[in-house]
Amino acid sequence: MAYVICEPCIGVKDKSCQEVCPVNCIVEGEDQLYIDPSLCIDCSLCVGVCPVSAIYFQEDVPDQWKSYIDKNANFFANK
Ligand code: SF4
Ligand code: SF4
């Protein structure tokens, strides 16, 4: 399990989440930031600092953004 960054990050990318992540598992991509699910320790610190509420625990990702679970994972799988 991991936290997942969803659509609201696109076009915002202020990187507040990156600054608080204790394991540095949040990486900037072209359109949004991404969380590496193999490194995320589920601390939830990033959730509280995101100004647009883009970050959700994997199981709680709203239905319309479920595809972002794979989008985040694939970003790292293709590295
Ligand atoms: S939940 Fe914690 S470990 Fe996971 S991305 Fe957010 S700040 Fe980093
Ligand atoms: S804090 Fe939210 S909007 Fe800012 S980069 Fe992170 S996920 Fe994107």
Side-chain angles (χ1 to χ4, degrees):
M1 254 351 134
Y3 278 74
V4 176
I5 299 178
C6 300
E7 187 176 80
C9 180
I10 295 175
V12 181
K13 287 175 65 173
D14 72 318
K15 303 182 194 168
S16 304
C17 52
Q18 251 183 347
E19 286 171 23
V20 299
C21 180
V23 294
N24 290 321
C25 69
I26 306 179
V27 174
E28 183 173 6
E30 207 164 293
D31 55 347
Q32 65 166 95
L33 273 76
Y34 294 96
I35 293 174
D36 186 338
S38 70
L39 297 178
C40 176
I41 56 169
D42 296 344
C43 71
S44 84
L45 283 175
C46 55
V47 175
V49 299
C50 180
V52 291
S53 300
I55 310 174
Y56 295 85
F57 187 54
Q58 190 170 322
E59 286 195 337
D60 301 326
V61 171
D63 283 346
Q64 71 269 32
W65 295 329
K66 292 280 189 218
S67 64
Y68 284 79
I69 297 171
D70 283 345
K71 190 181 176 190
N72 275 254
N74 289 339
F75 180 80
F76 296 96
N78 295 332
K79 285 245 162 223

